[in-house]
Amino acid sequence: KMSNSSSITQFLLLPFTDTRELQLLHFWLFLGIYLAALLGNGLIISTIACDQHLHTPMYFFLLNLSLIDLGSISTTVPKSMANSLWDTRAISYTGCIAQVLTFAFLVGAELSLLTIMAYDRYVAICKPLHYGTLLGSRACVHMAAAAWASGFLCAVIHIANTFSLPLCKGNAVDQFFCEIPQILKLSCSDTYLREAELLVVSVCLGFGCFLFIVLSYVQIFRAVLRIPSELGRHKAYSTCVPHLAVVSLFTITAMFAYLKPPSITSPSLDLVVSVLYSLVPPAVNPLIYSMRNQELKVAL
């Protein structure tokens, strides 16, 4: 047992398995998912950056989303792969802080950005005549900057909250990357309040964004149903469905990870859930966006 956090120089992450063959399998599986995410998001970023036709608000926000996805999967996966490959569990204290900070920052930014993207779809479909004025290039840059800034602010608050606590219950983190709830479990002071604060802040922010997205889509679908032509309706749906799918994937996996009752918690289930919400969205988002999107396919 460690007496306090100042003597902790490293944390031990949860290994997926102790069997060497399975460790290597985990390495190759994560490598596959990671390369798919790099390729998919990299293609979207380079396509949108290089194609003049895609220099519109919708694609500008999509480019930002791909950057966030690239960042978030790069925060957790390479370290876990390296640990499996070298048969170790260690991550340095600073490495752990960096992981928590970056991951919290990118998750916060992604939530804000998905909310902005809902607003973009709402203006495009419900107020098409005002689209150019409400979403000019300057406004888009400001919105994207606000999304990144809110993520950063969120992360700094979470980090200050988590790492100011003395840690005395060892240094083994029950997760394949450094995650705030798992680090709070190592604290010797009463973390109930901290966890409650953390949850309240996260849930309020998350619920606020989620509510905004839902209300935007209620308006959008009401407007779409009024479109007389079949083609017009189809076009409107095809720009909204990918975004809705991405939002659902992100919120469902994150909510299951953080809001599931303690009675159904087990280390293996936590591990599966964390893989779902930290690996699946970054790898699958590019696919969701490019499948239904003719403009993007043509540009690619």
Side-chain angles (χ1 to χ4, degrees), residues 111-181:
L111 187 62
S112 307
L113 194 71
L114 288 171
T115 311
I116 291 166
M117 289 167 92
Y119 174 72
D120 166 64
R121 295 297 78 215
Y122 164 75
V123 176
I125 290 166
C126 302
K127 299 189 180 339
L129 300 175
H130 300 276
Y131 191 74
T133 45
L134 287 173
L135 285 152
S137 54
R138 182 177 261 171
C140 288
V141 170
H142 286 168
M143 284 179 189
W148 289 91
S150 66
F152 187 70
L153 194 68
C154 216
V156 170
I157 293 168
H158 281 351
I159 275 279
N161 213 352
T162 308
F163 285 95
S164 60
L165 289 169
L167 309 175
C168 63
K169 294 182 184 165
N171 63 344
V173 180
D174 280 341
Q175 189 53 280
F176 78 95
F177 62 97
C178 282
E179 194 189 33
I180 295 172

Side-chain angles (χ1 to χ4, degrees), residues 224 227-239:
V224 169
I227 297 173
S229 75
E230 180 75 32
L231 187 72
R233 279 202 299 273
H234 179 75
K235 193 170 187 295
Y237 278 129
S238 68
T239 62

Side-chain angles (χ1 to χ4, degrees), residues 38-114:
L38 286 185
L39 181 69
N41 288 298
L43 276 173
I44 284 186
I45 291 166
S46 47
T47 307
I48 293 172
C50 299
D51 194 316
Q52 284 293 318
H53 297 115
L54 301 183
H55 291 186
T56 63
M58 181 169 110
Y59 291 109
F60 171 70
F61 294 134
L62 181 56
L63 179 132
N64 276 274
L65 184 72
S66 285
L67 283 171
I68 290 172
D69 282 340
L70 266 186
S72 72
I73 199 166
S74 299
T75 305
T76 56
V77 171
K79 180 63 187 161
S80 181
M81 278 164 36
N83 279 6
S84 275
L85 193 60
W86 309 127
D87 190 16
T88 170
R89 295 176 55 190
I91 181 170
S92 69
Y93 189 77
T94 42
C96 190
I97 292 181
Q99 250 191 1
V100 171
L101 183 70
T102 316
F103 194 70
F105 161 48
L106 292 166
V107 167
E110 177 149 353
L111 187 62
S112 307
L113 194 71
L114 288 171

